[in-house]
Amino acid sequence: MDNVEVKKLEKFALEIRLNTVKSLNHLGSGHYGGSLSIVECLAVLYGKVMKIDPKNPDWEGRDYFILSKGHAGPGLYPALALLGYFELDKLMTLNKDGTTLPNHLDRMLTPGVDMSSGSLGQGISVATGVAKALKMNGSDQYVYCIVGDGEMNEGQCWEAVQFATAQDLDNLILFIDDNKKQLDGTVEEIGGKRDFAAIFATFGFDSAAVAGNDVSAIYNAITDAKKVKGKPHVIVLDTIKGQGFPYLEQKASSHHLRPNEEEKVILNNFIAKLEKELEGLNNA
Amino acid sequence: MLKEGTKEIRQVYVDTLINLAAKDKNIVVMEADLAASIGTVKFKEKYPDQFVNCGIMEAQMVGAAAGLSLAGKRPFLHTFATFATRRPYDQIFISLGYARLGATILGSDPGVCAEHNGGTHMPFEDIALMRTIPNCTVAEPSDEYMMKALIEMSYEKGGLWYIRAQRKKAMQIYTENEKFELGKAKVVKDGKDVCIIASGICVSDALQAASLLEKKGIDAAVIDMFMIDPLDKDIILKYAKSCGQILTVENHFIVNGLGSAAAEVIAESGTGVKFKRLGVDKRYGQTGSLNFLKKEYGIDAESIAAAAEGLAK
Ligand SMILES: Cc1ncc(C[n+]2csc(CCOP(=O)(O)OP(=O)(O)O)c2C)c(N)n1
Ligand SMILES: [Mg+2]
């Protein structure tokens, strides 16, 4: 990827981040932490890697994306809107009465959303099923799936891992959003310390770990993964919960934010800062 | 006019557990990464050795609870009602139910109480699942005093319990010293024309419906059927005879919940009455505010009053 392309993806990530925070701020509360930590990964997938057609969301030849950590829907919607799956203003209806953009993903409501999720641990299994079907069809389509590091607590995730290796699903690229936190605290204190990249390698995955806020590193990891045949792939994203929003990055409890008066100001300032940055890029 | 209660239901849960733990070292409070959402962090601070946060492992939490119970502990488990019942159902059925091991499972934010968490978090089937377990007591408190009583009762009576309750404040139906008994419903308002049987958040809406009906000259009785199993069959039959028309209201599917339970009793008794179930019918949950959702699924006070009026006509 040349420098121009890197800049393009970084800008896309900025726009996703800005619109994520704007829509959550408009709603008044929500899952900021886990929505923000996947922004760069989404920018790479939707900005460059995936074979998709926003005009035809159900195109049979598309690559599939399953956001297993379904509470991060507010991070995905801006990516879809910016690509034209639906109008950008729709983002302001996020999780309101009668919306088509619920906090937790619903494939029956939102164009471009491949799978409903929100009950943690289920999306990853569905991703293995899609990958299996594509293999049965002899297709070269890929399945991308993001799973939370806390979500990996669920036993079902490890069933999916065994299935993926037993079925040689090398068309499955799994990302673990290793943001080190779940709802009640750190993943380490609740589920125990673990090295996902090493564990997945032991299970028989092609395994890599990258800086989750670096679009080139993520892109390169995907390109490298595709060179390895016969094994499912995992890319562990080393991220920070609330990534790119300095206030939330350092806040201990960052899963869900219902801002107090002081935090409302912080949010508005952050939105203004991102808007300015974007304006700068547009003028450059 | 009803007023809102003084304490959030989650606070009642935590405070009651703290009181119980002061007397019994065998109480174990278990969470599956939703301690912050229910407030048991406070319990953990007081009794760290009697608290286990399992992480996002509902099936494991239930299995471990069964093991704790087998070794003489009394587990109290909590997660959102979907993840407390549907997700680890086989583990509840076999490791707790079939193995006759005791635990109290609290499923929080049942039905429309899941509000902005939306469809994946909105169980309308939890009662249906739990009432089919042969030895599970199934209850749904309508206010904070009842919540406290039910948690204590589950501890005193032992065995397997499922309690579904919202996290926020409930409307106040009772006073502090009200006594509640296993399998005995409460008549919260007497009446002679139509009997509304409700549970949980629907009780206060049924009472509100009763005042709407009063203005139309219809005298409605309201029964708080806070225990779906064991069910107070006597009171259902008593009011079937005296009112001749029964309306059930539930924040749940009309299939295999309170309405079905009442229908079974009435049908088998040979008492012919006009009967209607109000609740969610063959639809999934969705995101929204509580009032929006109650209206959407037809369990708000106006819908209850309209259905009762239809029966009474
Ligand atoms: C089966 C299930 N149990 C519990 C929850 C409640 N819940 C939502 S998000 C969350 C924490 C998720 O942590 P993680 O996977 O690390 O997500 P992230 O840090 O990316 O937000 C929990 C417990 C759920 N949605 N599904
Ligand atoms: Mg996490």
Side-chain angles (χ1 to χ4, degrees):
Chain A
M1 202 166 42
D2 63 25
N3 206 28
V4 178
E5 272 189 301
V6 173
K7 289 282 171 244
K8 204 184 114 208
L9 287 184
E10 283 174 351
K11 184 180 165 203
F12 189 38
L14 174 65
E15 286 181 287
I16 296 173
R17 178 162 285 114
L18 170 63
N19 283 290
T20 298
V21 176
K22 261 167 87 171
S23 55
L24 282 167
N25 188 42
H26 183 76
L27 177 63
S29 67
H31 297 116
Y32 282 84
S35 297
L36 290 174
S37 51
I38 58 171
V39 165
E40 278 73 16
C41 183
L42 291 172
V44 173
L45 289 176
Y46 280 89
K48 185 159 172 74
V49 170
M50 285 206 301
K51 271 195 301 173
I52 42 174
D53 179 4
K55 295 277 161 292
N56 184 8
D58 299 329
W59 170 43
E60 281 180 15
R62 74 186 183 280
D63 289 341
Y64 285 77
F65 174 68
I66 294 180
L67 184 55
S68 195
K69 37 170 270 185
H71 59 285
L76 175 61
Y77 298 142
L80 297 176
L82 288 160
L83 288 187
Y85 280 93
F86 47 84
E87 297 288 305
L88 208 58
D89 328 340
K90 264 259 160 81
L91 295 176
M92 294 301 135
T93 70
L94 178 67
N95 216 38
K96 301 226 186 237
D97 292 349
T99 188
T100 56
L101 304 178
N103 268 356
H104 297 93
L105 298 180
D106 184 339
R107 64 182 282 269
M108 304 309 288
L109 285 181
T110 318
V113 167
D114 279 329
M115 185 57 199
S116 307
S117 57
S119 181
L120 294 170
Q122 301 200 21
I124 176 173
S125 285
V126 178
T128 63
V130 177
K132 178 70 186 169
L134 297 176
K135 284 226 152 260
M136 286 169 156
N137 294 347
S139 162
D140 61 358
Q141 290 154 273
Y142 273 89
V143 183
Y144 301 92
C145 172
I146 304 183
V147 61
D149 54 352
E151 181 177 12
M152 288 305 298
N153 286 173
E154 287 286 3
Q156 182 174 356
C157 296
W158 300 99
E159 296 180 19
V161 164
Q162 294 170 77
F163 181 89
T165 48
Q167 302 292 327
D168 305 325
L169 301 178
D170 58 3
N171 55 347
L172 173 68
I173 300 188
L174 185 67
F175 298 91
I176 297 182
D177 181 7
D178 189 6
N179 62 19
K180 286 99 191 150
K181 286 182 188 169
Q182 46 195 87
L183 193 146
D184 278 335
T186 67
V187 173
E188 180 167 347
E189 73 196 5
I190 295 169
K193 191 171 174 57
R194 64 179 53 93
D195 177 346
F196 286 112
I199 295 172
F200 271 77
T202 308
F203 266 101
F205 267 62
D206 161 45
S207 166
V210 298
N213 63 352
D214 180 339
V215 291
S216 339
I218 297 169
Y219 177 75
N220 291 337
I222 295 169
T223 314
D224 289 345
K226 288 184 177 174
K227 289 179 197 146
V228 179
K229 299 294 170 200
K231 290 172 166 192
H233 316 277
V234 71
I235 297 171
V236 181
L237 303 168
D238 181 4
T239 55
I240 303 173
K241 207 152 170 167
Q243 187 160 287
F245 180 11
Y247 171 74
L248 211 57
E249 282 192 358
Q250 54 75 43
K251 192 172 189 260
S253 163
S254 52
H255 185 73
H256 185 273
L257 182 67
R258 187 180 298 283
N260 57 30
E261 289 310 313
E262 201 179 314
E263 288 170 329
K264 281 181 190 163
V265 177
I266 294 173
L267 266 168
N268 284 322
N269 288 342
F270 180 59
I271 290 170
K273 179 182 158 271
L274 292 187
E275 272 172 342
K276 210 159 167 197
E277 247 174 73
L278 183 62
E279 206 183 292
L281 290 179
N282 282 336
N283 293 337
Chain B
M1 265 303 273
L2 290 175
K3 0 183 260 288
E4 200 172 58
T6 55
K7 263 181 158 187
E8 290 195 324
I9 298 298
R10 60 182 140 196
Q11 198 188 332
V12 175
Y13 177 63
V14 177
D15 291 349
T16 309
L17 290 177
I18 288 175
N19 287 341
L20 290 174
K23 289 174 274 179
D24 187 348
K25 275 195 149 30
N26 283 323
I27 298 245
V28 181
V29 172
M30 304 179 84
E31 290 286 351
D33 203 26
L34 285 169
S37 308
I38 198 78
T40 44
V41 179
K42 191 168 142 197
F43 182 96
K44 179 188 174 186
E45 280 161 8
K46 227 166 151 105
Y47 298 103
D49 299 338
Q50 285 169 256
F51 179 86
V52 185
N53 194 336
C54 304
I56 315 167
M57 310 183 191
E58 294 80 10
Q60 169 61 23
M61 174 164 74
V62 171
L68 284 160
S69 177
L70 184 61
K73 304 287 182 191
R74 175 70 199 181
F76 284 81
L77 289 63
H78 161 261
T79 175
F80 289 153
T82 38
F83 312 134
T85 56
R86 197 171 66 212
R87 183 68 174 242
Y89 189 62
D90 194 37
Q91 284 78 10
I92 298 172
F93 200 98
I94 297 298
S95 298
L96 288 169
Y98 182 66
R100 312 299 197 279
L101 292 167
T104 301
I105 302 172
L106 171 64
S108 65
D109 287 357
V112 294
C113 300
E115 291 188 72
H116 294 109
N117 272 327
T120 50
H121 289 53
M122 196 164 285
F124 294 127
E125 70 295 325
D126 53 327
I127 292 177
L129 291 170
M130 300 308 278
R131 76 181 280 255
T132 54
I133 299 177
N135 53 339
C136 185
T137 302
V138 179
E140 176 171 38
S142 54
D143 86 350
E144 65 192 76
Y145 301 119
M146 191 190 272
M147 176 69 179
K148 176 165 188 281
L150 288 175
I151 296 295
E152 289 171 349
M153 203 188 290
S154 77
Y155 169 73
E156 282 151 19
K157 307 259 182 211
L160 178 57
W161 282 63
Y162 175 60
I163 299 174
R164 70 185 322 237
Q166 83 247 53
R167 287 182 289 159
K168 292 181 180 170
K169 282 182 183 169
M171 300 307 280
Q172 192 186 328
I173 313 285
Y174 304 100
T175 51
E176 194 164 356
N177 300 315
E178 189 79 40
K179 294 275 177 286
F180 302 96
E181 281 178 68
L182 189 80
K184 284 265 173 287
K186 284 278 179 191
V187 179
V188 286
K189 181 189 171 298
D190 214 343
K192 58 180 187 342
D193 296 333
V194 56
C195 173
I196 308 174
I197 303 178
S199 66
I201 61 161
C202 297
V203 174
S204 62
D205 291 315
L207 280 169
Q208 223 184 308
S211 352
L212 295 173
L213 290 165
E214 205 172 296
K215 289 182 194 128
K216 300 196 167 181
I218 299 167
D219 183 17
V222 176
I223 292 177
D224 182 349
M225 189 63 72
F226 63 91
M227 240 170 225
I228 285 87
D229 197 341
L231 188 73
D232 190 344
K233 298 178 180 168
D234 295 343
I235 208 155
I236 297 173
L237 293 178
K238 183 175 162 212
Y239 278 82
K241 290 208 179 80
S242 67
C243 290
Q245 27 239 348
I246 301 247
L247 174 69
T248 60
V249 189
E250 56 199 308
N251 171 24
H252 188 272
F253 286 137
I254 56 172
V255 174
N256 210 6
L258 172 62
S260 294
E264 289 157 15
V265 173
I266 294 168
E268 284 181 343
S269 74
T271 319
V273 293
K274 278 208 210 164
F275 180 80
K276 185 170 170 59
R277 294 166 300 161
L278 220 54
V280 183
D281 191 14
K282 291 200 181 294
R283 289 177 69 190
Y284 288 102
Q286 61 182 306
T287 193
S289 57
L290 190 62
N291 287 335
F292 168 82
L293 293 168
K294 277 195 206 168
K295 223 183 164 65
E296 178 75 16
Y297 293 103
I299 53 170
D300 58 322
E302 286 74 23
S303 306
I304 299 171
E309 196 182 346
L311 271 184
K313 260 191 203 139

